[in-house]
């Protein structure tokens, strides 16, 4: 997925410290306190590392996984709660070997990934953390060149390319491109575009208002950004920037 060079910000609010960083293949969000999010489903790998506590991921028919760290595969509807400060890493869906359910990371593995990251603030080594995770969970296969081109074009910041136009660029019909992306990535291109737009909007917070961030990222309006964040991340921009506020998950 195409994003600008690593963008990062840090915010201290309500006795909490938030860190955000987004690079070409990895996005990081870290928080100095416990949290819980409503059910959601993101088109990316999510790795949650508890720093002194535990992670609980709930999914399916009342199933739950609890560990020092948890790897959540793309497109799995789930809830997530952490009892301590934590780091969450989001990797593009092709970065790790396919999986169908959450994977536990014991304390040693969790600490190794965190050590590779170096620290959770600006300047965090996102590529080293990705490499450590690939070693532990298995690296994904390189994408078909046509799929890689389509993903780059559809998720490029500011892109207005249609799927039909991108299909023509790689010499495929639109239905054939959709099928190829589904076979290689498992996620439709429009959903990948929404995820890229959400990442772009997050890079503008908290320097910009949610409305300005939504416009910058290509959302129709602020409610569109809010709905997308709730669906894909389980928290709205307001809930992220104001943790502990009334009505927001704790």
């Amino acid at each position: 997925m195409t994003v600008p060079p690593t963008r990062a910000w840090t915010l201290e609010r309500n006795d909490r410290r938030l860190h955000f960083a987004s690079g070409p293949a990895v996005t990081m969000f870290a928080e100095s306190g416990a949290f819980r999010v409503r059910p959601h489903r993101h088109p990316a790998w999510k790795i949650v590392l508890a720093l002194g506590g535990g992670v609980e991921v709930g999914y399916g028919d009342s199933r739950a996984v609890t560990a020092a760290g948890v790897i959540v595969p793309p497109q799995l509807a789930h809830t997530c709660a952490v009892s301590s400060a934590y780091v969450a890493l989001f990797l593009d869906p092709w970065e790790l070997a396919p999986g169908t359910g959450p994977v536990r990371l014991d304390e040693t593995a969790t600490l190794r990934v965190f050590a590779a990251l170096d620290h959770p603030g600006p300047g965090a080594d996102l590529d080293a953390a990705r490499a450590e995770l690939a070693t532990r969970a298995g690296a994904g296969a390189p994408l078909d060149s046509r799929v890689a081109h389509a993903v780059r074009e559809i998720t490029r910041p500011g892109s207005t390319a249609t799927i039909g136009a991108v299909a023509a660029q790689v010499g495929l019909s639109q239905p054939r491109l959709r099928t190829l992306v589904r076979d290689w990535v498992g996620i439709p291109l429009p959903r990948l575009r929404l995820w890229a737009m959400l990442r772009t909007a997050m890079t503008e917070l908290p320097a910009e208002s949610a409305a300005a961030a939504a416009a910058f990222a290509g959302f129709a309006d602020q409610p569109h950004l809010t709905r997308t964040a709730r669906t894909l991340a389980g928290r709205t921009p307001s809930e992220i920037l104001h943790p502990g506020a009334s009505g927001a998950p704790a």
Side-chain angles (χ1 to χ4, degrees):
M1 188 172 295
T2 304
V3 296
T6 301
R7 298 278 302 277
W9 51 257
T10 295
L11 175 68
E12 294 194 28
R13 180 170 286 168
N14 296 341
D15 297 322
R16 288 196 179 195
R17 181 178 296 108
L18 311 176
H19 297 292
F20 174 86
S22 188
V26 184
T27 295
M28 179 197 75
F29 185 79
E31 194 169 357
S32 64
F35 90 118
R36 179 183 299 110
V37 290
R38 59 174 66 85
H40 61 288
R41 189 166 62 118
H42 40 65
W45 291 94
K46 179 172 75 175
I47 300 87
V48 186
L49 311 171
L51 307 180
V55 181
E56 180 177 286
V57 172
Y59 67 105
D61 186 17
S62 300
R63 287 176 288 180
V65 167
T66 303
V70 178
I71 301 176
V72 182
Q75 297 292 79
L76 179 71
H78 68 284
T79 60
C80 188
V82 185
S83 61
S84 66
Y86 70 93
V87 174
L89 301 171
F90 298 88
L91 276 64
D92 289 333
W94 49 87
E95 290 291 337
L96 300 179
T100 57
V103 175
R104 294 178 176 85
L105 293 174
D106 62 22
E107 186 174 354
T108 298
T110 298
L111 289 175
R112 286 185 66 89
V113 177
F114 185 69
L117 189 66
D118 190 31
H119 62 86
D125 196 337
L126 302 180
D127 285 338
R130 176 182 60 169
E132 179 64 29
L133 285 164
T135 297
R136 298 196 164 274
L143 292 178
D144 176 278
S145 60
R146 296 164 296 180
V147 172
H149 176 83
V151 169
R152 281 195 303 270
E153 286 301 302
I154 289 295
T155 63
R156 179 167 45 83
S159 172
T160 57
T162 65
I163 295 175
V166 173
Q169 290 172 7
V170 296
L172 296 173
S173 67
Q174 187 174 152
R176 177 56 184 153
L177 177 61
R178 290 181 184 273
T179 298
L180 201 61
V181 171
R182 184 183 66 242
D183 291 344
W184 279 86
V185 180
I187 299 165
L189 284 170
R191 192 169 179 85
L192 290 174
R193 170 174 272 169
L194 273 179
W195 179 247
M197 289 165 59
L198 179 59
R199 288 171 59 177
T200 298
M202 286 299 299
T203 67
E204 298 303 302
L205 298 173
E208 300 287 350
S209 67
F216 178 81
F219 287 98
D221 48 29
Q222 182 177 340
H224 186 199
L225 168 60
T226 298
R227 291 192 301 272
T228 300
R230 185 182 293 117
T231 299
L232 300 187
R235 286 199 285 184
T236 67
S238 177
E239 291 168 347
I240 291 170
L241 295 179
H242 302 274
S246 177

